[in-house]
Amino acid sequence: MHLAATSLILLATKHTEVPRKVRDIVNCGYWLLNHQNEDQGYLDVGEDSELYANLRDSLITAELFSLRVLNFNTNTDLAYVPVAIITHSLWRFYTLKMSDREMENFAGEFKKLCESAVQIVCDSYVNARVALEFSGVEVALACVFIAVRNVKLELPLKFEVWCMDPVDPDIGKYSNNESEHLISKRNRQSLRGEKDRVQRVLVCAEIIQK
């Protein structure tokens, strides 16, 4: 069981593009199993360590087995891309009628909002219910909603309206090349919600804040 869990962690680091060395994952897994034993703490990961070599080979084999079980489909509906799209559009909603100086003064506060939203997304996935019961867009909306309140701002639209279609339909007119892939027509359409989205986002936000 521990080997399977460790192999999935290794796979997840690759899928989320935050790769970690196999050595470090093996060492952490070994420590979690043995840290209560005074004689067995951290693993010797030197080139001559037979135990490390065996554990490393077992981990790589388990990773391949996990991929076969998943039918090599590791696509996961996460909130990271939607939260980038939503905050990008939120900036436009907030600053549409601001002068250049007002936008400059607001930028620091909005940066805190974005950082808070991303951090909440990361923290929210510690709760299995968030990952299993809600879509990436729903999680992103809940996290941005919480972040807006954390920095003591108000949403530029009514919550129900924003929830159902959080992306400015004219955002493409003033997009730059770097963000065009985030605000494509397909992505905008994918963010438009079904009738029960408002309630689901509120429930998700409540779970995240517990």
Side-chain angles (χ1 to χ4, degrees):
M1 181 178 70
H2 294 97
L3 180 60
T6 309
S7 72
L8 291 172
I9 291 172
L10 176 61
L11 189 57
T13 64
K14 294 177 181 179
H15 178 66
T16 54
E17 297 184 0
V18 284
R20 296 293 182 267
K21 293 180 179 179
V22 173
R23 178 194 65 196
D24 294 338
I25 294 176
V26 169
N27 205 2
C28 288
Y30 183 85
W31 182 85
L32 285 171
L33 285 176
N34 298 285
H35 70 279
Q36 294 179 342
N37 188 333
E38 295 182 359
D39 298 329
Q40 292 184 334
Y42 289 101
L43 177 66
D44 176 12
V45 293
E47 293 182 2
D48 298 330
S49 173
E50 185 177 350
L51 177 57
Y52 166 68
N54 290 336
L55 289 173
R56 179 195 60 202
D57 293 344
S58 297
L59 178 60
I60 293 172
T61 300
E63 181 191 22
L64 291 172
F65 180 78
S66 298
L67 281 170
R68 289 181 180 180
V69 170
L70 295 169
N71 198 26
F72 291 88
N73 181 10
T74 58
N75 291 326
T76 308
D77 185 17
L78 297 175
Y80 298 103
V81 170
V83 85
I85 301 170
I86 292 166
T87 52
H88 182 86
S89 186
L90 202 56
W91 167 260
R92 295 305 312 176
F93 279 127
Y94 278 127
T95 62
L96 200 56
K97 296 182 180 180
M98 286 186 182
S99 66
D100 290 344
R101 175 164 293 185
E102 287 173 329
M103 289 173 63
E104 186 177 342
N105 293 334
F106 180 66
E109 193 172 9
F110 189 77
K111 180 182 177 182
K112 292 179 182 178
L113 187 159
C114 295
E115 290 173 345
S116 177
V118 172
Q119 186 60 56
I120 294 167
V121 170
C122 294
D123 294 342
S124 69
Y125 281 122
V126 174
N127 189 322
R129 284 190 63 191
V130 174
L132 297 174
E133 296 181 15
F134 300 95
S135 70
V137 173
E138 289 166 348
V139 175
L141 286 167
C143 293
V144 172
F145 176 57
I146 296 169
V148 167
R149 294 195 298 181
N150 283 350
V151 297
K152 295 180 171 52
L153 288 174
E154 297 288 338
L155 286 170
L157 303 171
K158 286 186 177 181
F159 174 76
E160 293 80 3
V161 175
W162 175 75
C163 243
M164 294 301 291
D165 193 2
V167 177
D168 182 349
D170 293 328
I171 198 168
K173 294 179 182 178
Y174 32 68
S175 66
N176 55 39
N177 291 333
E178 184 178 352
S179 60
E180 280 180 358
H181 69 286
L182 291 178
I183 53 181
S184 65
K185 182 177 180 181
R186 180 176 58 82
N187 278 331
R188 291 203 298 272
Q189 290 175 342
S190 71
L191 288 174
R192 291 178 181 146
E194 303 298 330
K195 293 181 180 179
D196 64 341
R197 173 185 280 181
V198 174
Q199 186 59 36
R200 287 181 58 80
V201 170
L202 288 173
V203 171
C204 183
E206 184 179 348
I207 292 172
I208 291 170
Q209 293 180 97
K210 283 184 178 178

